Amino acid sequence: MLIWYLVLYLLVSIGIGLYAATRVHSARDYVVAGRHLPLYIVTATVFATWFGSEAVLGISAKFVQEGLRGIVEDPFGASMCLILVGMFFAAKLYKLNLLTIGDYYRQRYNRTVEILTGMAIVISYLGWVSAQIIALGLVFSIVSGGAISNSEGMIIGATIVLVYTLFGGMWSVALTDFFQMSIIVVGLLYIAYLVSDMAGGVGRVVEHAHTAGKFEFWPVLETRDVLAFIAAWVTMMFGSIPQQDVFQRVMSARSGKIAVTGAILGGVLYFAFAFIPLFLAYSASLVDPAMVTGLIEKDPQLILPSLILNHMPLLAQVMFFGALLSAIMSTASGTLLAPSVTFTENILKNIIGQQSDRHFLWTMRLVVVCFAVIVTLFALKSNASIYDMVSNAYKVTLVMAFVPLVFGLYWKRANTQGALFAIAAGLSSWLLLEIFNPDGLWPPQLVGLLASVTGMLAGSLLPHFVGKPTPPSQAHAELHHHAAYPQHHVEK
């Protein structure tokens, strides 16, 4: 019965996604939903940006093992990312009327910077989307009682997400996100109510976690611990800001005010609801301590699904796995679309040249299919945990794309040479430490971030000898002109 209910849910999701595809008439419709989304849908789709497999399975498993100190990156860093986007980036970027975040790097700097940052953005999604595919395989295997293997479940899940994302683009992502967020909220609140009663109340669970030291958050005041804490926090908080999935969700808003408000509300809601899976997973240690002890050694990501299957009635199982599938699919669809659009617009277009709007739209769809195949193959071969795959995904954008974006928006003297120096210094220092000293005192991604800042300052202030010099005032004027008089993306 559980399987059939979930099949029905999947069919409804596909139906909504395909209905949304009827609204796609241009590349802009496909990428940013024609900039027509109201506040409630923008909030829902921003919330769904992070509320995926890592929020339900990854974070909860990490919390049971390590407490709050083990989940600094997500939800603390991830939710702050969305709030910072709303406060400092959404309004400025919305005015520019861009198709992708990569377009900003081309207009503020040059095509070389666009291609380099575009490659970093695309690469970062490999682990992120693969984590969602792995989680889909896990869910299908669990609910089928092992009749569907993890590998088969991955292929089935990837195919379902591909179907509605392929045709509807951001319209499908947005409408299915709204439907799926409703399932997430209702389902998890209902499950929390049932589990709380079984565990002896919220107070008992919180007290038990506190006694066990799970609420210790701040690092020990030693250099190594403090640096590791800072690195973990900034990886997702800053590294996720120059990302296409965040950008397109915010830029799909009907107005700049909605873009700002939707990003902040989505971030706050994500932070609040991310603690429900933590509560559920830790409650399992009171409801069935033997099961939790066994799974911590085997696979802690199974704690929450096992609690639901072993101790919940059918309705609760349907609600939970429906919410879990909603969380994973809403994240997977957006993160499948984002790198495909970035690759087509900011890398492939520089190779094949301009296309008509119709041809450009079908090129993006072809790239979506190719990327879906690549991430599915990567997921099938990966042995990393969901949480680690997600938290590691944004190191490359942290060291390559974050500094050029921030300095380009807020420092008039930032120029192309500074951006290139920032990218080169950040990438080289990060890679060298990852290869030769990954467990040293200084976390590699933190060194890469600091080197990127240093490169931007040095490159922008030194005499210009790399690339074509563009006076900072001229770069800002060109961006302002584009915001006031946006050009057509492609030839009609």
Side-chain angles (χ1 to χ4, degrees):
M1 286 298 294
L2 174 60
I3 294 175
W4 287 113
Y5 277 121
L6 294 179
V7 168
L8 177 62
Y9 164 77
L10 292 172
L11 290 175
V12 171
S13 295
I14 292 172
I16 293 173
L18 293 179
Y19 163 74
T22 62
R23 301 190 176 200
V24 176
H25 305 292
S26 67
R28 187 163 291 275
D29 288 338
Y30 192 76
V31 179
V32 289
R35 296 187 127 194
H36 291 316
L37 300 184
L39 177 61
Y40 67 96
I41 292 185
V42 172
T43 302
T45 194
V46 169
F47 167 83
T49 304
W50 301 139
F51 210 97
S53 60
E54 74 294 342
V56 181
L57 301 177
I59 297 176
S60 59
K62 203 80 168 178
F63 176 75
V64 171
Q65 293 175 289
E66 304 177 23
L68 290 181
R69 196 174 288 166
I71 57 172
V72 174
E73 288 166 299
D74 193 1
F76 292 96
S79 56
M80 277 305 301
C81 162
L82 299 175
I83 293 170
L84 290 174
V85 166
M87 293 176 63
F88 300 106
F89 297 89
K92 285 179 173 289
L93 292 174
Y94 191 88
K95 292 177 182 178
L96 301 179
N97 198 19
L98 305 171
L99 195 67
T100 68
I101 186 71
D103 290 344
Y104 171 81
Y105 294 101
R106 180 181 69 250
Q107 293 185 21
R108 181 62 175 87
Y109 303 111
N110 65 7
R111 288 196 179 276
T112 302
V113 176
E114 172 196 14
I115 292 171
L116 291 173
T117 54
M119 290 175 62
I121 291 169
V122 171
I123 291 171
S124 71
Y125 281 101
L126 189 60
W128 175 253
V129 186
S130 296
Q132 313 311 313
I133 302 302
I134 289 172
L136 286 171
L138 186 66
V139 172
F140 284 118
S141 178
I142 291 172
V143 299
S144 67
I148 299 175
S149 68
N150 278 9
S151 298
E152 292 169 341
M154 290 182 202
I155 296 171
I156 293 170
T159 302
I160 293 170
V161 172
L162 173 63
V163 166
Y164 67 78
T165 306
L166 176 64
F167 294 102
M170 192 58 203
W171 267 116
S172 289
V173 171
L175 296 190
T176 53
D177 277 356
F178 180 72
F179 166 69
Q180 290 161 348
M181 187 185 117
S182 304
I183 300 295
I184 292 168
V185 171
V186 174
L188 288 183
L189 288 176
Y190 173 65
I191 297 296
Y193 169 76
L194 293 180
V195 171
S196 172
D197 186 58
M198 294 176 61
V202 175
R204 180 167 181 255
V205 176
V206 171
E207 179 62 30
H208 193 281
H210 181 267
T211 303
K214 299 300 181 182
F215 292 152
E216 294 179 2
F217 178 69
W218 298 107
V220 178
L221 292 180
E222 296 180 0
T223 304
R224 179 180 292 274
D225 289 335
V226 172
L227 290 175
F229 181 88
I230 295 172
W233 201 327
V234 301
T235 296
M236 285 197 73
M237 181 168 62
F238 293 159
S240 301
I241 289 176
Q243 285 291 350
Q244 177 62 20
D245 61 323
V246 176
F247 174 85
Q248 66 191 29
R249 282 174 156 97
V250 174
M251 295 305 114
S252 298
R254 186 178 292 165
S255 67
K257 183 178 180 180
I258 290 176
V260 171
T261 307
I264 294 173
L265 286 178
V268 172
L269 283 174
Y270 172 71
F271 184 76
F273 273 91
F275 282 90
I276 296 181
L278 304 187
F279 170 78
L280 295 177
Y282 194 80
S283 297
S285 62
L286 299 179
V287 175
D288 193 342
M291 176 197 72
V292 173
T293 301
L295 288 177
I296 284 180
E297 297 296 327
K298 180 184 176 183
D299 186 355
Q301 295 173 150
L302 296 176
I303 291 175
L304 192 46
S306 298
L307 171 69
I308 303 301
L309 283 176
N310 296 337
H311 298 279
M312 293 283 113
L314 178 61
L315 177 60
Q317 293 178 19
V318 172
M319 295 291 283
F320 172 77
F321 284 103
L324 179 56
L325 280 175
S326 295
I328 299 169
M329 291 171 62
S330 61
T331 300
S333 57
T335 50
L336 176 61
L337 178 64
S340 305
V341 168
T342 300
F343 181 80
T344 309
E345 163 72 357
N346 302 118
I347 299 174
L348 192 59
K349 193 178 77 173
N350 288 307
I351 299 173
I352 64 177
Q354 290 280 30
Q355 297 175 284
S356 69
D357 191 77
R358 179 172 173 272
H359 286 132
F360 183 73
L361 178 58
W362 281 103
T363 301
M364 279 192 288
R365 285 173 168 155
L366 177 61
V367 174
V368 168
V369 174
C370 293
F371 196 78
V373 172
I374 292 170
V375 295
T376 302
L377 292 174
F378 185 79
L380 290 169
K381 298 293 184 181
S382 177
N383 294 317
S385 72
I386 292 171
Y387 188 90
D388 289 338
M389 290 182 74
V390 171
S391 61
N392 290 330
Y394 296 112
K395 292 179 180 179
V396 64
T397 46
L398 175 69
V399 302
M400 289 184 66
F402 175 70
V403 169
L405 174 64
V406 175
F407 277 77
L409 287 172
Y410 284 98
W411 191 39
K412 290 184 178 181
R413 296 194 65 176
N415 58 29
T416 300
Q417 178 172 275
L420 291 172
F421 276 31
I423 292 169
L427 179 63
S428 59
S429 58
W430 170 60
L431 286 178
L432 286 172
L433 283 178
E434 285 284 4
I435 295 170
F436 296 108
N437 194 23
D439 300 317
L441 177 64
W442 283 84
Q445 73 269 32
L446 185 57
V447 173
L449 175 62
L450 296 175
S452 184
V453 173
T454 304
M456 171 59 77
L457 293 173
S460 298
L461 296 176
L462 288 172
H464 203 291
F465 59 88
V466 175
K468 182 180 178 181
T470 301
S473 57
Q474 180 183 332
H476 268 259
E478 289 175 357
L479 282 174
H480 178 76
H481 175 79
H482 181 81
Y485 306 102
Q487 300 175 358
H488 290 293
H489 168 66
V490 290
E491 299 172 358
K492 294 293 183 182

